[in-house]
């Protein structure tokens, strides 16, 4: 059996018993781990609340009669970063013709695809930051993909301005003011390479734009498109689930409510 002297043994600091020191260690490390898991800002609040004894403020209720905002609503960025107003409106109208709203779900405009494209052009992707862009330049084979001197954001701006210019020449109005059939005809002319752009095949612009439209429809809402995960819901795609542990042994097709990356950041 331990002697009374051993029971009263002090910690190496000599100012508190070992059991108390151990409890304080677990308390502080628990707070620190919580901060790492939840994130720096939230973790800092947890630590502060533990020290002061104050409780974290409850989230403010949503306005009467309106559903609480989801994380995709809160984090959806509706701010232009690259386009001017005319380019944004042209991109929005062209994207809607490529992915129109119908009985199955929303179109590109409602899903915010133009914002997705705008944000991509303002990013390192739009500047071809990871591509080799120095001369000499040679005519590339079709299978070699993008091999132009223009950066993607330059090609995007050039192409959207050309959509308007071509529309004015052919229909005496800018692209956004054309009928749906006229807009389709303009886009078809670009797809078939019937339009001359400055040192750029019109079909190259159309192909890039079409690809970005589809990416914007099905991207995570954190990147500006797929607002309210409408693109995923049309496909019954579950999004970014952290785990399928609870569903893996269930019989039949399991339909999950889709989750965005931002849901995990705020949960």
């Amino acid at each position: 059996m331990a002697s009374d002297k051993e029971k009263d043994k002090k910690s190496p600091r000599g100012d508190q018993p070992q059991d108390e020191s151990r409890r304080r260690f677990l308390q502080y490390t628990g707070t620190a781990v919580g901060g790492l898991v939840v994130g720096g800002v939230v973790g800092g609040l947890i630590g502060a609340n533990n020290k002061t004894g104050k409780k974290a403020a409850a989230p403010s209720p949503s306005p009467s009669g309106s559903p609480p905002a989801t994380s995709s609503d809160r984090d959806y960025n509706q701010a232009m970063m690259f386009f001017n107003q005319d380019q944004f409106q042209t991109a929005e109208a062209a994207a809607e013709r490529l992915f129109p709203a119908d009985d199955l779900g929303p179109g590109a405009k409602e899903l915010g695809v133009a914002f997705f494209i705008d944000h991509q052009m303002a990013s390192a992707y739009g500047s071809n930051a990871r591509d080799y862009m120095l001369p000499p330049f040679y005519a590339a084979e079709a299978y070699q993909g993008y091999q132009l001197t223009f950066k993607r954001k330059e090609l995007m701006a050039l192409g959207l301005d050309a959509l308007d210019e071509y529309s004015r020449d052919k229909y005496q109005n800018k692209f956004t003011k054309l009928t749906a059939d006229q807009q389709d005809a303009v886009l078809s002319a670009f797809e078939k390479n019937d339009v001359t752009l400055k040192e750029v095949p019109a079909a190259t612009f159309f192909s890039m734009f079409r690809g970005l439209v589809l990416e914007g429809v099905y991207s995570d809402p954190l990147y500006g498109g797929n607002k309210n995960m409408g693109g995923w819901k049309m496909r019954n795609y579950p999004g970014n689930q952290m785990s399928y542990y609870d569903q893996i042994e269930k019989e039949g097709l399991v339909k999950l409510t889709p989750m965005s990356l931002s849901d995990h950041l705020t949960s």
Side-chain angles (χ1 to χ4, degrees), residues 5-18:
K5 183 178 180 180
E6 290 173 328
K7 291 179 180 180
D8 295 335
K9 184 184 294 183
K10 301 291 184 179
S11 69
R13 290 177 53 191
D15 56 355
Q16 55 187 334
Q18 283 185 338

Side-chain angles (χ1 to χ4, degrees), residues 38-55:
V38 181
V41 175
V42 179
L45 292 175
I46 293 174
N49 290 334
N50 283 345
K51 292 178 183 178
T52 60
K54 296 180 181 179
K55 294 183 179 180

Side-chain angles (χ1 to χ4, degrees), residues 45 68 94 126 138 140 167 182 188 250 265:
L45 292 175
Y138 299 98
S167 299
Q182 290 172 337
S188 294
K250 290 183 178 180
L265 296 175

Side-chain angles (χ1 to χ4, degrees), residues 174-192:
K174 62 181 183 179
F175 184 83
T176 56
K177 298 297 184 180
L178 303 184
T179 66
D181 289 341
Q182 290 172 337
Q183 289 177 339
D184 289 347
V186 171
L187 291 171
S188 294
F190 276 71
E191 182 182 19
K192 296 174 183 177

Side-chain angles (χ1 to χ4, degrees), residues 39-259:
V41 175
V42 179
L45 292 175
I46 293 174
N49 290 334
N50 283 345
K51 292 178 183 178
T52 60
K54 296 180 181 179
K55 294 183 179 180
S60 57
S62 59
S64 177
S66 63
T70 64
S71 60
S72 57
D73 289 326
R74 292 192 301 269
D75 296 336
Y76 182 70
N77 189 343
Q78 299 187 59
M80 284 188 293
M81 299 179 179
F82 173 74
F83 291 145
N84 61 39
Q85 192 66 38
D86 288 338
Q87 290 169 347
F88 178 84
Q89 292 175 354
T90 301
E92 192 173 56
E96 182 68 15
R97 293 313 305 153
L98 295 177
F99 197 94
D102 57 21
D103 294 339
L104 299 178
K109 182 176 181 178
E110 185 177 344
L111 292 171
V113 167
F115 285 111
F116 170 82
I117 298 174
D118 171 78
H119 297 173
Q120 290 297 302
M121 295 303 101
S123 71
Y125 172 81
S127 298
N128 295 69
R130 296 190 177 186
D131 297 338
Y132 185 84
M133 299 290 292
L134 298 177
F137 299 102
Y138 299 98
E141 300 295 335
Y143 66 85
Q144 291 180 301
Y146 187 85
Q147 298 285 330
L148 299 177
T149 61
F150 286 93
K151 295 177 181 179
R152 293 186 184 93
K153 64 181 182 181
E154 295 170 341
L155 175 59
M156 179 61 64
L158 177 66
L160 292 175
D161 291 343
L163 280 176
D164 254 349
E165 184 178 350
Y166 181 82
S167 299
R168 293 179 190 276
D169 289 343
K170 190 171 182 62
Y171 298 106
Q172 292 72 54
N173 217 334
K174 62 181 183 179
F175 184 83
T176 56
K177 298 297 184 180
L178 303 184
T179 66
D181 289 341
Q182 290 172 337
Q183 289 177 339
D184 289 347
V186 171
L187 291 171
S188 294
F190 276 71
E191 182 182 19
K192 296 174 183 177
N193 221 20
D194 293 339
V195 182
T196 302
L197 299 184
K198 179 183 177 182
E199 302 177 9
V200 182
T204 300
F205 160 74
F206 178 86
S207 178
M208 182 181 74
F209 184 80
R210 180 181 180 275
L212 286 167
V213 169
L214 294 178
E215 289 175 21
V217 169
Y218 298 115
S219 68
D220 192 286
L222 194 66
Y223 299 105
N226 190 15
K227 187 175 182 181
N228 296 325
M229 295 174 277
W232 289 349
K233 291 173 183 176
M234 285 188 282
R235 296 279 185 172
N236 290 324
Y237 177 65
N240 292 294
Q241 303 286 330
M242 289 294 287
S243 170
Y244 296 93
Y245 180 82
D246 294 335
Q247 291 80 28
I248 196 168
E249 294 185 357
K250 290 183 178 180
E251 297 292 336
L253 179 65
V254 178
K255 186 174 182 179
L256 299 174
T257 301
M259 296 187 71

